[in-house]
Amino acid sequence: MTFFTEQPVTAADKTFFQLRKDIVEGDVAAGSKLSETELSTKYAVSRAVVREAINRLEASHLVERKANVGARVVTLTPEGLVELYQVRESLEGMAARLAAQNMTDHEIADLQALLNSHFDKVQSGLTYYQEAGDVDFHYRIILGSKNKHLISMLTDGIYHLVRMYRVQLGMSGPRVTTAFDEHKHIVQAICNRDAELAEMLMRRHILYSKSSIENKLNL
Amino acid sequence: MTFFTEQPVTAADKTFFQLRKDIVEGDVAAGSKLSETELSTKYAVSRAVVREAINRLEASHLVERKANVGARVVTLTPEGLVELYQVRESLEGMAARLAAQNMTDHEIADLQALLNSHFDKVQSGLTYYQEAGDVDFHYRIILGSKNKHLISMLTDGIYHLVRMYRVQLGMSGPRVTTAFDEHKHIVQAICNRDAELAEMLMRRHILYSKSSIENKLNL
DNA sequence: TAAAACTGGATTGTCGACAATTTATCGCCA
DNA sequence: TGGCGATAAATTGTCGACAATCCAGTTTTA
């Protein structure tokens, strides 16, 4: 349901997307070194495009680079996860606030419909409220903020890191029922154009999911 | 007083820093096209390093790039300024909150001393509380958050754009006295380890300066 | 013996040339 | 005359080769 506007046009694009996918899904191990020559043979492109791909991954906070030494995939740590969720709380809280101000009535109706369709499926026991639904919900609100910087920071920056943690720490369907209720309340606030409340609810929603994850990893 | 840890080591670094400076300070006009060959002759480096510099500038939101077409310096618009300050409010608010939790007593004392030294100078009429002091203050709190993502997003991302608006819209010493009092209250909250209040005061501080700018540009 | 200096191997940084795509110019035709 | 299509010029994307830097192992020296 998420409309991927990201479409690779150049070879560097394809390499970037592919490498990002491989890193997020763990096919390229966290903390491992990224050899330019090695990758260039693996993906059958020149070193120049690999370099560009790595540069973009660095901007996405997925790899770290040192001059004249090389690039490594980031390592996943409990502290890193906490820091990541602090930024999410801040940015997505603001996104919810702005969404309450800037989403069109039509977009809000769509969002509500989406949530209802999820609700029906969950209620009828056909499926669980799983990661895809959660991601979809958050994406819509982020886009609804209509704030260019907010959107790019979250969608081509932080969110891939979030997914990396989710995939590699193996937490696909967390807090299915409670999270759903929280989503409902957030949409309600947005529908009422209550920006203040929407932000507060979103921040608490993310705080809760952070706590839930911390418990799961018994930090 | 701001300690620039950013030190260019490679040619691409130097080109990146130089070009960023030229853009921020308006030597390269906002909205103008960045020709790779042209820049490579201007800075006396190969096109490859110019490309890398441009890629990094894109990650900093200072230029926009379209595949097979080229890169342009961003254009400065009132809407863009508003969006920028919304992100600042969100991120720096969180930074203040975290700073109240994570700064060491020593760092807080330093911050207080810095503010006092500024205060003495201002009080004695030797100087105004100007941009450098403001920037210095905000930097310390951002670094005090100890949050890697927050720090990099603000210091090598958003802040250069803020400076670009400041320089090119010609607002160097805005709201000198009131801003100073606000800074004092924020430090007080941090000193009391009152994270909640520190965040709220920082957000209001940024909201105020946004309003002040909007008035100045009579939007 | 331990620390400093050297050397070899490998990796990253930089360059100029070629290929692919876009944009501008000109001629053609309705 | 106005718009459409083909060709030419210019710009970006990609490539392989060379130069500079780092790292490990070895040798030299105090």
Side-chain angles (χ1 to χ4, degrees):
Chain A
M1 199 60 68
T2 319
F3 34 100
F4 289 112
T5 70
E6 280 185 327
Q7 200 180 352
V9 19
T10 177
D13 286 340
K14 287 182 208 136
T15 311
F16 169 59
F17 289 137
Q18 183 64 46
L19 185 52
R20 185 176 65 185
K21 179 171 182 254
D22 290 347
I23 289 175
V24 167
E25 299 185 356
D27 296 338
V28 173
S32 64
K33 186 167 191 314
L34 292 178
S35 161
E36 294 182 357
T37 57
E38 194 178 326
L39 292 175
S40 78
T41 62
K42 177 175 178 181
Y43 295 117
V45 287
S46 88
R47 260 188 61 218
V49 333
V50 170
R51 275 177 72 81
E52 180 168 339
I54 291 179
N55 277 333
R56 290 203 227 168
L57 287 169
E58 188 188 14
S60 307
H61 299 249
L62 286 175
V63 316
E64 289 167 350
R65 171 171 238 170
K66 269 201 294 191
N68 287 313
V69 174
R72 308 193 77 90
V73 179
V74 295
T75 57
L76 305 183
T77 66
E79 299 81 31
L81 185 64
V82 169
E83 291 188 10
L84 187 59
Y85 268 70
Q86 288 167 343
V87 175
R88 271 195 76 189
E89 181 190 335
S90 163
L91 288 179
E92 292 205 48
M94 178 58 77
R97 167 185 289 266
L98 296 175
Q101 294 170 355
N102 298 334
M103 280 179 89
T104 66
D105 291 339
H106 183 68
E107 287 169 338
I108 295 179
D110 265 9
L111 180 59
Q112 212 144 16
L114 174 81
L115 215 57
N116 284 335
S117 85
H118 285 165
F119 179 70
D120 292 341
K121 278 198 219 152
V122 173
Q123 197 74 344
S124 63
L126 290 176
T127 178
Y128 294 104
Y129 189 54
Q130 54 209 2
E131 195 213 336
D134 183 70
V135 170
D136 204 354
F137 172 78
H138 284 270
Y139 261 77
R140 297 226 182 185
I141 290 184
I142 291 164
L143 295 180
S145 77
K146 310 283 175 75
N147 183 310
K148 205 174 19 171
H149 297 111
L150 219 44
I151 293 173
S152 87
M153 279 181 168
L154 285 166
T155 62
D156 22 85
I158 283 189
Y159 252 69
H160 297 281
L161 235 173
V162 170
R163 222 168 81 77
M164 185 171 169
Y165 271 99
R166 279 201 177 144
V167 171
Q168 303 205 18
L169 299 188
M171 31 197 215
S172 35
R175 310 190 310 121
V176 293
T177 51
T178 54
F180 185 82
D181 283 341
E182 288 161 23
H183 285 186
K184 254 177 52 183
H185 292 317
I186 292 171
V187 171
Q188 192 59 47
I190 290 176
C191 190
N192 292 338
R193 303 293 186 182
D194 189 337
E196 202 83 29
L197 183 61
E199 172 167 15
M200 176 174 285
L201 290 177
M202 177 62 88
R203 288 184 68 156
R204 288 174 63 170
H205 170 56
I206 290 172
L207 269 180
Y208 289 154
S209 73
K210 186 181 82 175
S211 303
S212 157
I213 290 168
E214 284 174 340
N215 286 340
K216 224 171 203 172
L217 305 178
N218 54 322
L219 301 180
Chain B
M1 201 59 70
T2 318
F3 33 100
F4 289 110
T5 69
E6 280 185 326
Q7 200 181 353
V9 19
T10 177
D13 286 339
K14 287 181 208 139
T15 311
F16 169 58
F17 290 136
Q18 184 64 46
L19 186 50
R20 184 176 66 185
K21 179 170 181 258
D22 291 347
I23 289 175
V24 167
E25 300 185 355
D27 296 338
V28 173
S32 65
K33 185 168 193 313
L34 293 178
S35 161
E36 294 183 357
T37 56
E38 193 179 326
L39 291 175
S40 77
T41 62
K42 177 174 178 181
Y43 295 117
V45 289
S46 88
R47 261 188 60 219
V49 333
V50 170
R51 277 177 71 82
E52 180 168 338
I54 291 180
N55 277 332
R56 290 203 226 168
L57 287 170
E58 187 188 15
S60 307
H61 300 252
L62 286 175
V63 316
E64 290 166 349
R65 171 171 238 169
K66 269 201 293 191
N68 287 313
V69 173
R72 307 193 79 89
V73 180
V74 294
T75 59
L76 305 183
T77 66
E79 301 80 33
L81 185 65
V82 169
E83 291 188 10
L84 186 61
Y85 268 70
Q86 286 167 344
V87 175
R88 269 195 77 188
E89 181 190 336
S90 164
L91 288 179
E92 292 205 48
M94 178 58 78
R97 167 185 289 266
L98 296 175
Q101 294 169 355
N102 297 335
M103 280 179 89
T104 67
D105 291 338
H106 183 68
E107 286 169 338
I108 295 178
D110 265 9
L111 180 59
Q112 212 144 17
L114 175 80
L115 215 56
N116 284 335
S117 85
H118 285 165
F119 179 70
D120 291 341
K121 277 198 221 155
V122 174
Q123 198 74 343
S124 64
L126 290 176
T127 178
Y128 294 105
Y129 190 53
Q130 54 210 3
E131 196 213 335
D134 183 70
V135 170
D136 205 353
F137 173 79
H138 284 269
Y139 262 77
R140 295 227 183 183
I141 290 184
I142 291 165
L143 295 180
S145 75
K146 311 284 175 76
N147 184 309
K148 206 174 16 172
H149 298 109
L150 218 44
I151 292 172
S152 87
M153 278 180 168
L154 284 167
T155 63
D156 25 80
I158 281 188
Y159 252 68
H160 297 280
L161 199 58
V162 171
R163 221 168 81 78
M164 185 170 170
Y165 270 100
R166 279 198 178 147
V167 172
Q168 304 206 16
L169 299 189
M171 30 199 217
S172 35
R175 308 191 310 120
V176 293
T177 52
T178 55
F180 185 83
D181 283 342
E182 289 161 24
H183 285 186
K184 255 177 53 184
H185 293 317
I186 292 171
V187 171
Q188 192 58 47
I190 291 176
C191 190
N192 293 338
R193 303 292 184 183
D194 189 337
E196 202 83 30
L197 182 62
E199 173 169 15
M200 176 173 287
L201 290 177
M202 178 62 87
R203 289 185 67 157
R204 289 174 63 170
H205 171 56
I206 291 172
L207 268 180
Y208 289 154
S209 72
K210 186 181 81 174
S211 304
S212 156
I213 290 169
E214 284 173 341
N215 285 340
K216 225 170 201 172
L217 304 178
N218 56 325
L219 301 181

